[in-house]
Amino acid sequence: MLSCTLPAMAVDAIPGDEQYRPLVHFTPEKNWMNDPNGMVYAGGKYHLFFQHNPAGNTWGNMSWGHATSTDLLHWEEQPLAIPQTFNDAGQSIEDIFSGSIVVDEDNTAGFGPAGSSPLVAIYTSAYTPQHPGRPGIQAQSLAYSLDEGQTWVKHDGNPVLDRNSGNFRDPKVFWYDGPAGSYWVMAAVEATDHKVVLYKSSDLTSWQHLSDFGPANSVGGIWECPDLFELPVDGDSGDTKWVMVVNLNPGAVNGGSGGQYFVGEFDGVTFTSESTDGPVAPPEGTTFAGFDDGDYEGWTVSNEPGNWAGGPWGTAPATGSLDGQNPVGGFVGAGLVNSFLDRDWAIGQLESPEFTIDDEYINFLVGGGKHPHVPGGQLENNPPAGTTVFGFELPAGETLADAGWEITGDFATEPGRNPSTNGGDYYLGAKRLNTWEGGPNGDDNVGTLTSPEFTIDGDYVSFLIGGGRRDDGTLQVELVVDGQVVRTQGGSNDGALDWAAWDVAQFDGQQARIRIRDEATGGWGHLTFDHVVVGGEPAQVRSDETSVNLMVDGQVVRTATGSNSENLDWTSWNVDEFRGQEATIRVVDNNRAGWGHVLLDQVMFSDAPATTALEGYDWLDWGRDYYAAVSYFGTPSGSKIMQGWMNNWDYANDIPTSPWRSSMSLPREVTLVSTPEGPRLRQQVVSQIDGQLDTDAAESLMDVGVDGETTLGLSGDVAKVEVVLRPGDADKAGITVLSNGTIGTRIGYDTALRRIFVDRTNSGDVGFHSSFPSVEDAPLALDEDGTVTLELYLDRASVELFTKDGQLTITDQVFPAAGADTISAWSEGGAATIESITVTPLVPTMWKVPEPAVELSANSVRAGGVITVSGTGFDPSEEVTIELRSDRIKAKSATADEDGAFSRTVPVTGNTAAGEYTLAVVRADGTEVTMQLTVIARGRG
């Protein structure tokens, strides 16, 4: 991978001025946030509680943060609501996990005085190993507030519902009033069992089991954050259905975290789904490999030697889950390929016999880790050709200082700690630099390690790097030329070292130093570093893939991977272009870390593609960044409003934001509409967003021909974008947003596949995690007139796409280049037309405080007197010039004080005739602020 030099983020940036800070989505001012919790409308305000780490910018110390709003868009962050619980020794014994809040209008729990309506929070107590009575248990607890959510008291009788389970969590509570009676209903999950468990209570403190729902549809990951609510179909109050929401991680349709839903009936006891899908049958075809006969059917097996269980493949296919593995599902017959033997550690390859491609499609079931094949990557860990400048294989007893390195800070206290023989994977030789090991304080070590000078006599400097990532310049390897930092590279919060390379051709022949800067503390506050090579070619990044690859002429021409799920699903390759050629299928497990295994079964040759089961399910969103979405309790007029966490557990802890991490989606009103498949959800951003549209600044174009890259002259990074696209003869067509002309996010339509997509593979910063660069797509037929209508909301670091009248949404984070706001169009394989496009700026609702209005005041005076001119809303210390537009008066200057105000007495000469005059204040930038002033004739009363 080639690294680049990026500007360091200012540590003390004002909220709203940070590069990726959203301006219409909620973010906490600082620190970590995940699932929305306890969303409730009470006391004329919307309350948004959320999973929060009050002490850091990654997941941990789980407590409930709190924010309030009158319109769901202008949020005011409140003090921490419900903190984690500590024992007398200062150890956390209870984390506060997700849950919900209700308005107890009848005071059924008795937490308030007679006639009051307390807010009651129902949340998961995640008891830590230090808890004296329930270590490792998750149970449901209560807290209540008598002051509209500002302070909370934990119930003395907690927990109120305990199943002695380690994965029982995320209670969503509502009031049921129907044929079965009137009572509180709780929907929670047994996460690893893929079940929603339903309970009822009359007082919120005593709970009776009603029924269970699930497993159903996607079970590729743990089930979390359920919801259950009733909605009219097509607005008909006499025709209603119930919606069961189940979020899951991983196992979503486009990978990682996501939310599915079911439509059906709830009778007060049992939810019955009417939208659960059965198994997907593959198309007709020839089975090439089913792995059901107890052997690998002639496939060549390459197991890594030296592992205790003979992994990763062993000598025969697996028959299901292996030792230590979660349940494996979705395979066909008696056996499957499963590289979990020796857990995720062992690596190896499995290759089919050679075959001739005679059919249009190769279909197969795949599962396991989501570690795609890296084009141009290597499966080994070989350095590039060149001169090894620093290898760190120093003789025993020799330190870095002995080798001419300059060492400061904690690393100088015990210089013998580096080079180290501990920490990291994929280093070369026996020794490497490790700033965790390099001082007495582990991740809290701070200091620098600076190499001796060396000559840059090649086009590239390559090296192995691992460890932590920071985006503020406090943890990085630096190339220093003439005392200036000209290149930087950080880790990726990964213990494995991987190759990075700097293009240094412009510095050929100059002297340089390598400096390792570690000013970071806390988790992943260290770097590992090894093997610096100067040469004519960059190092090849290692491909830590868990993949299934089609090999033709020794090249990977098609590839697939799992989705971090133990559930196998169908994948199809269109291989028509290779008909008549010889090929093999190579399965590669080259990953030792989490989800470092691959599953394969039922390889078939066919004239039709297999249909993925996931695409047949109903999803809240088809993007990568809409998770843990649940609804508000008690919203006005009975509307159902949902909001989700705009992130994905695949990379949530690594997104390049600071001092906060994560945002919430825009709130969405959901309704049920009739479709050929039955009632399904329709989502729209809440109508309050219309009040933030700066329609006076909107720009529109009509009937724009698009043939290749097409400029539109439009821009916007906090905006609503409405597009009617006619793909026409193009293979693909669409627009690019948040672009700087070179990189950007592409939103488009694929006419052959009939799919809408968001492509963020070249959207900006995509290198912080291997799972981030991605294309999210969904099936979508064109309208009858051959067009597709898109509604987009851009907010600096996100794209929320609504189409199909709100029945299909795609939500993705993106991290564009600084200042990237260009909107352009493009087509491939033919011409298209943008029938209309409108870009309307959105007035910020978060962090950007409106500048105070500039105002003038002055008294009407007699000619020959004086006037006092006052102004407010100017810049502090700004110099202005006051003019009365008359030939008889001289301009006077004034300077605004620290509050942006000034007051200046100005004489009006006796020769100034009575009448209306323009009083003008000329600002420092040449702009004017004016008002009309009446001058009364001299001597007149």
Side-chain angles (χ1 to χ4, degrees):
M1 99 188 131
L2 293 180
S3 61
C4 60
T5 302
L6 297 175
M9 183 178 295
V11 177
D12 56 351
I14 299 171
D17 286 343
E18 304 102 336
Q19 181 176 349
Y20 302 129
R21 174 78 77 170
L23 298 183
V24 292
H25 291 73
F26 174 75
T27 56
E29 181 175 353
K30 61 181 181 179
N31 295 338
W32 168 269
M33 175 181 73
N34 57 290
D35 304 358
N37 297 153
M39 299 188 298
V40 63
Y41 182 79
K45 291 182 179 180
Y46 296 92
H47 295 258
L48 171 63
F49 297 82
F50 50 90
Q51 290 284 276
H52 188 47
N53 180 357
N57 204 18
T58 54
W59 187 92
N61 305 304
M62 282 295 97
S63 306
W64 275 23
H66 183 200
T68 57
S69 173
T70 58
D71 64 357
L72 291 165
L73 297 172
H74 295 79
W75 291 99
E76 182 178 352
E77 193 168 356
Q78 303 294 334
L80 190 69
I82 307 177
Q84 61 185 144
T85 305
F86 296 89
N87 61 19
D88 292 341
Q91 298 172 310
S92 174
I93 59 172
E94 177 200 30
D95 283 337
I96 312 300
F97 277 15
S98 295
S100 53
I101 289 176
V102 298
V103 181
D104 190 4
E105 292 185 357
D106 296 327
N107 197 22
T108 62
F111 290 145
S116 66
S117 299
L119 295 183
V120 180
I122 308 96
Y123 61 88
T124 297
S125 291
Y127 297 110
T128 71
Q130 288 73 38
H131 192 275
R134 293 182 173 87
I137 294 297
Q138 295 181 1
Q140 312 321 313
S141 295
L142 304 180
Y144 62 90
S145 174
L146 304 180
D147 56 6
E148 298 186 347
Q150 292 304 302
T151 59
W152 292 85
V153 178
K154 294 176 182 176
H155 176 44
D156 288 339
N158 284 337
V160 297
L161 181 56
D162 183 2
R163 291 166 56 106
N164 196 36
S165 167
N167 288 283
F168 172 44
R169 57 180 175 268
D170 307 341
K172 185 67 166 68
V173 174
F174 64 94
W175 181 256
Y176 172 80
D177 189 0
S182 299
Y183 41 80
W184 298 106
V185 172
M186 176 195 296
V189 294
E190 281 288 355
T192 57
D193 294 339
H194 307 115
K195 288 184 179 181
V196 176
V197 293
L198 300 176
Y199 284 78
K200 75 172 185 179
S201 174
S202 60
D203 60 4
L204 294 170
T205 58
S206 300
W207 293 91
Q208 176 185 345
H209 182 252
L210 291 172
S211 62
D212 296 344
F213 171 75
N217 287 0
S218 184
V219 293
I222 56 175
W223 280 19
E224 294 188 315
C225 301
D227 203 351
L228 181 60
F229 50 81
E230 187 178 19
L231 286 174
V233 180
D234 299 324
D236 182 0
S237 60
D239 179 16
T240 65
K241 292 290 182 182
W242 285 78
V243 178
M244 172 78 80
V245 172
V246 179
N247 290 274
L248 76 161
N249 173 58
V253 64
N254 271 308
S257 315
Q260 61 182 330
Y261 71 92
F262 304 83
V263 180
E265 300 288 350
F266 178 59
D267 62 4
V269 176
T270 302
F271 173 77
T272 304
S273 171
E274 298 171 357
S275 62
T276 301
D277 291 348
V280 173
E284 294 291 329
T286 302
T287 300
F288 175 63
F291 307 107
D292 296 326
D293 296 331
D295 60 35
Y296 278 117
E297 303 176 13
W299 290 50
T300 302
V301 181
S302 299
N303 288 305
E304 182 182 37
N307 292 303
W308 68 273
W313 321 105
T315 58
T319 57
S321 302
L322 298 173
D323 182 41
Q325 188 174 24
N326 286 328
V328 172
F331 62 97
V332 175
L336 76 156
V337 171
N338 184 345
S339 72
F340 194 75
L341 201 62
D342 281 303
R343 308 295 176 96
D344 278 331
W345 176 257
I347 60 176
Q349 299 182 39
L350 180 70
E351 189 155 8
S352 76
E354 195 171 64
F355 59 91
T356 302
I357 298 175
D358 290 328
D359 299 271
E360 188 173 356
Y361 291 93
I362 299 177
N363 301 320
F364 53 93
L365 289 163
V366 66
K370 186 180 178 66
H371 304 288
H373 169 75
V374 178
Q378 59 170 318
L379 296 179
E380 295 78 22
N381 197 39
N382 297 325
T387 302
T388 301
V389 180
F390 303 111
F392 306 115
E393 300 303 310
L394 304 183
E398 187 172 327
T399 69
L400 278 183
D402 296 329
W405 286 64
E406 297 175 5
I407 306 173
T408 68
D410 293 323
F411 310 125
T413 61
E414 300 178 60
R417 287 176 173 264
N418 264 317
S420 174
T421 56
N422 295 317
D425 295 313
Y426 295 106
Y427 47 86
L428 296 181
K431 298 179 181 180
R432 60 276 189 197
L433 300 190
N434 184 334
T435 66
W436 198 99
E437 297 285 346
N441 302 315
D443 267 334
D444 291 338
N445 288 326
V446 294
T448 61
L449 305 169
T450 304
S451 77
E453 282 193 333
F454 64 96
T455 302
I456 298 176
D457 54 4
D459 290 342
Y460 294 91
V461 173
S462 300
F463 48 88
L464 285 164
I465 186 170
R469 175 188 174 95
R470 295 290 191 273
D471 298 296
D472 55 7
T474 60
L475 187 64
Q476 60 190 21
V477 176
E478 302 169 344
L479 181 66
V480 182
V481 177
D482 288 335
Q484 300 298 312
V485 176
V486 297
R487 298 289 187 270
T488 65
Q489 179 66 47
S492 57
N493 290 351
D494 195 329
L497 285 76
D498 203 355
W499 289 101
W502 290 319
D503 184 336
V504 295
Q506 71 186 89
F507 306 112
D508 186 42
Q510 297 188 51
Q511 297 296 105
R513 297 177 187 269
I514 297 287
R515 179 166 62 207
I516 299 174
R517 180 185 299 278
D518 184 347
E519 297 170 357
T521 59
W524 288 110
H526 70 277
L527 287 175
T528 45
F529 183 75
D530 194 17
H531 212 81
V532 182
V533 178
V534 178
E537 297 293 332
Q540 286 181 286
V541 66
R542 192 177 57 256
S543 184
D544 283 342
E545 60 195 89
T546 52
S547 63
V548 181
N549 301 320
L550 180 65
M551 310 297 297
V552 176
D553 291 333
Q555 301 298 313
V556 176
V557 297
R558 297 287 187 271
T559 185
T561 187
S563 59
N564 289 352
S565 170
E566 305 291 18
N567 198 68
L568 288 82
D569 199 2
W570 286 102
T571 290
S572 291
W573 289 329
N574 186 321
V575 294
D576 194 47
E577 66 181 283
F578 304 111
R579 279 184 190 264
Q581 297 189 52
E582 298 300 300
T584 63
I585 292 174
R586 181 182 296 168
V587 189
V588 179
D589 179 348
N590 201 47
N591 195 293
R592 299 191 189 278
W595 287 105
H597 63 279
V598 60
L599 312 173
L600 173 71
D601 194 24
Q602 212 67 17
V603 181
M604 301 180 67
F605 303 151
S606 177
D607 290 328
T611 302
T612 171
L614 288 178
E615 291 201 355
Y617 306 150
D618 295 303
W619 297 96
L620 293 176
D621 195 279
W622 287 67
R624 296 292 305 280
D625 294 307
Y626 189 74
Y627 187 60
V630 289
S631 62
Y632 281 82
F633 179 95
T635 47
S637 305
S639 60
K640 189 58 61 176
I641 297 171
M642 299 187 72
Q643 197 163 16
W645 178 47
M646 202 158 60
N647 214 335
N648 191 304
W649 280 116
D650 277 356
Y651 44 74
N653 281 285
D654 301 311
I655 61 171
T657 62
S658 178
W660 84 104
R661 188 167 270 125
S662 293
S663 62
M664 293 300 178
S665 73
L666 289 174
R668 305 175 182 182
E669 182 174 1
V670 297
T671 56
L672 277 178
V673 296
S674 296
T675 75
E677 294 77 31
R680 294 295 185 267
L681 285 181
R682 175 179 184 244
Q683 303 180 72
Q684 293 178 301
V685 177
V686 291
S687 60
Q688 292 93 314
I689 197 71
D690 293 340
Q692 299 306 124
L693 294 172
D694 186 359
T695 54
D696 291 339
E699 294 184 283
S700 297
L701 298 174
M702 303 290 289
D703 297 322
V704 180
V706 180
D707 195 355
E709 295 293 332
T710 304
T711 59
L712 298 175
L714 300 174
S715 63
D717 66 345
V718 183
K720 179 180 181 181
V721 182
E722 300 163 281
V723 183
V724 178
L725 170 69
R726 182 181 298 279
D729 297 329
D731 295 334
K732 298 179 182 179
I735 63 172
T736 301
V737 300
L738 300 172
S739 171
N740 66 356
T742 302
I743 58 176
T745 302
R746 284 164 49 108
I747 294 103
Y749 188 80
D750 187 316
T751 55
L753 298 178
R754 303 177 69 188
R755 298 177 75 85
I756 190 75
F757 62 86
V758 175
D759 180 351
R760 64 181 185 185
T761 57
N762 192 37
S763 57
D765 187 353
V766 299
F768 55 87
H769 196 282
S770 61
S771 293
F772 185 80
S774 59
V775 179
E776 281 62 75
D777 63 346
L780 179 68
L782 293 174
D783 293 341
E784 292 182 359
D785 63 355
T787 65
V788 59
T789 300
L790 310 176
E791 181 177 284
L792 298 163
Y793 292 88
L794 311 179
D795 192 7
R796 302 178 90 184
S798 64
V799 175
E800 290 183 76
L801 165 65
F802 296 76
T803 187
K804 198 178 178 181
D805 194 31
Q807 294 177 50
L808 193 158
T809 67
I810 299 177
T811 300
D812 269 1
Q813 295 181 93
V814 291
F815 300 99
D821 65 355
T822 298
I823 299 172
S824 60
W826 57 270
S827 69
E828 296 177 3
T833 303
I834 291 182
E835 301 219 332
S836 65
I837 180 170
T838 299
V839 180
T840 308
L842 285 165
V843 177
T845 60
M846 293 291 300
W847 304 118
K848 285 293 187 182
V849 179
E851 293 185 3
V854 176
E855 296 183 354
L856 294 180
S857 62
N859 56 314
S860 298
V861 297
R862 293 180 176 84
V866 294
I867 56 173
T868 300
V869 181
S870 300
T872 58
F874 291 81
D875 295 331
S877 302
E878 180 179 4
E879 293 187 1
V880 299
T881 302
I882 305 166
E883 298 178 356
L884 186 65
R885 293 293 160 79
S886 165
D887 293 338
R888 302 290 185 176
I889 188 172
K890 295 181 178 179
K892 298 293 182 180
S893 63
T895 302
D897 62 21
E898 62 183 11
D899 295 324
F902 70 85
S903 182
R904 183 77 158 86
T905 300
V906 181
V908 180
T909 66
N911 294 328
T912 301
E916 293 289 327
Y917 288 84
T918 298
L919 176 67
V921 173
V922 183
R923 304 191 68 178
D925 60 3
T927 60
E928 296 182 352
V929 185
T930 63
M931 66 174 290
Q932 291 299 110
L933 178 68
T934 301
V935 175
I936 304 169
R938 191 172 191 180
R940 299 289 179 90

